[in-house]
Amino acid sequence: MRLESVEDLPDLWKETYDLVAQVPEGKVTTYGEVAKALGDVVASRFVGLAMSRNDDIVRVPCRRVVQSDGMIGGYTGGGPEKKITLLRHEGIRIRGTRILDFDKVLFTDFISNRPLRDLKARQLALRKRLSLGMLATDIRQVAGIDVAYEDDHAFASLVLFDYSSGEEVGRFTSEGDAKFPYVPTYLAFREIPVIRSLMRRVPGGTIVMFDGNGILHPEGFGVTSQIGVVFGVPTIGVAKKLLCGEVGKVSSDGVANVRLKGKTVGHAVFRGLGAKPVYVSAGHGLSPSQALEVTLKFAKRRVPEPTRVAHLAAEDARRRAKSK
DNA sequence: GCGACAG
DNA sequence: ATCTTGTCGC
């Protein structure tokens, strides 16, 4: 039960700062090592972001976090020169912008409960409830949902379309703080909390289209699948960039299979020659072919209407709040 | 230097 | 995702 919850999330920012606080004077570590201590190397860029936002350089020695190749890396509090000066003062030997005896001064012995490993386990637990069979019998509406950010303040919007006419029939927005950062393949933990209130407005007989992948994901369980399972609604994932997998040969209708580990897990939809595709995959509660069919029905442009309009609405809410 | 990981 | 002006093209 607790395992499957998407609430009660770890404070990844705090955990990161606590880890870096463990690096002793005279030692350095790397963004990737801190990420591994968090539970997954994919978070290494987030570690860099967290260091750049560090506001307590006494407790959290972000100067001691460097690149995995021994290069010094950047330093928000005064540039690389400042970082070099500070580290030399701590006994680290540096030539140019490279650390000498890197293996001797590298600290990796973190004490950590690896929060991302737990989140991955929650993801896998939720995945057991994934179904790619027909969940909704009669589809009356398609909803597009998207989130825009002003730093970590989120503006989410839901736009409803009538399935047969394709006309917009309603829209809602909400806002709140995103407490969890963006980490590739953990997107659901960032976005599910901020769309929760909107999901209550999704009528029965609605397919939800979301900006992000469904089963086109390293674990076969992207943000859109997780949303589908958590809220018990059929979902379709539409991503603008490829997260993983390989795109096959484009057929005459402008559609190509996307394969992962030998299986077709989604489709690249090209609108026009030489154009960038969008990557469509089933989220939950419907079949891959049904996901493609519904998407094509709303694909007047590159990005299908529900997701495209929801994006505009969320962006609109963000800009209105900003200028206020 | 290239490739690179949704939003 | 966000930071950003004008500009090229269907």
Side-chain angles (χ1 to χ4, degrees):
Chain A
M1 193 64 173
R2 165 72 174 281
L3 193 67
E4 297 183 8
S5 169
V6 291
E7 304 302 330
D8 187 31
L9 295 172
D11 184 341
L12 216 61
W13 294 92
K14 182 184 184 331
E15 305 250 16
T16 303
Y17 294 130
D18 287 350
L19 285 168
V20 173
Q22 294 178 26
V23 183
E25 184 172 330
K27 294 277 189 176
V28 295
T29 191
T30 72
Y31 301 98
E33 287 299 331
V34 177
K36 279 192 265 180
L38 284 171
D40 198 330
V41 269
V42 296
S44 51
R45 285 179 303 181
F46 158 67
V47 173
L49 175 67
M51 293 308 96
S52 76
R53 292 192 190 173
N54 178 30
D55 62 1
D56 188 352
I57 59 172
V58 176
R59 185 181 85 85
V60 182
C62 56
R63 59 189 173 278
R64 296 177 193 152
V65 185
V66 302
Q67 295 177 189
S68 60
D69 57 3
M71 297 301 281
I72 202 78
Y75 192 61
T76 304
E81 309 79 17
K82 180 71 176 174
K83 195 170 182 175
I84 290 168
T85 304
L86 290 169
L87 288 178
R88 278 191 173 137
H89 190 70
E90 300 183 351
I92 303 295
R93 299 179 57 240
I94 298 163
R95 177 185 298 156
T97 56
R98 167 172 261 109
I99 303 219
L100 300 175
D101 300 316
F102 187 48
D103 52 329
K104 302 275 200 306
V105 296
L106 180 61
F107 176 87
T108 60
D109 195 16
F110 290 103
I111 295 168
S112 172
N113 49 12
R114 302 188 178 264
L116 289 178
R117 177 180 45 49
D118 284 359
L119 291 187
K120 184 66 74 182
R122 288 194 208 180
Q123 229 171 38
L124 298 179
L126 281 168
R127 191 181 64 180
K128 290 178 184 154
R129 310 213 313 248
L130 176 70
S131 156
L132 297 181
M134 185 82 79
L135 195 83
T137 42
D138 81 304
I139 303 305
R140 295 188 297 277
Q141 293 176 306
V142 174
I145 293 184
D146 195 33
V147 185
Y149 292 93
E150 183 67 36
D151 290 322
D152 284 324
H153 194 65
F155 298 85
S157 77
L158 161 70
V159 183
L160 287 164
F161 292 84
D162 181 75
Y163 185 73
S164 49
S165 72
E167 294 295 305
E168 180 182 329
V169 293
R171 57 171 71 189
F172 307 92
T173 63
S174 72
E175 62 179 286
D177 286 316
K179 288 159 190 154
F180 197 85
Y182 170 68
V183 177
T185 77
Y186 296 82
L187 179 58
F189 298 105
R190 177 171 176 77
E191 306 223 312
I192 285 182
V194 305
I195 66 167
R196 171 156 247 114
S197 63
L198 283 183
M199 291 305 295
R200 285 195 265 271
R201 326 218 55 153
V202 174
T206 302
I207 291 178
V208 171
M209 198 175 277
F210 197 78
D211 211 335
N213 294 300
I215 61 173
L216 174 41
H217 179 274
E219 268 71 52
F221 198 65
V223 59
T224 305
S225 294
Q226 200 163 325
I227 288 169
V229 168
V230 167
F231 297 104
V233 297
T235 56
I236 298 171
V238 181
K240 293 178 287 296
K241 287 192 282 191
L242 195 60
L243 172 63
C244 56
E246 302 144 21
V247 180
K249 189 165 170 274
V250 186
S251 63
S252 55
D253 56 355
V255 176
N257 288 337
V258 178
R259 286 198 153 86
L260 190 62
K261 298 166 190 165
K263 283 182 178 172
T264 294
V265 294
H267 300 277
V269 176
F270 295 81
R271 313 263 8 180
L273 266 101
K276 280 188 190 176
V278 290
Y279 304 93
V280 179
S281 59
H284 172 68
L286 40 64
S287 68
S289 60
Q290 195 180 6
L292 180 62
E293 181 193 327
V294 173
T295 303
L296 289 175
K297 180 171 159 59
F298 284 87
K300 295 200 292 200
R301 331 210 185 173
R302 178 169 105 100
V303 177
E305 287 302 286
T307 266
R308 191 182 72 83
V309 178
H311 178 78
L312 293 174
E315 184 62 13
D316 213 53
R318 181 180 79 87
R319 285 219 284 264
R320 281 191 336 252
K322 194 177 179 179
S323 65
K324 212 166 103 180

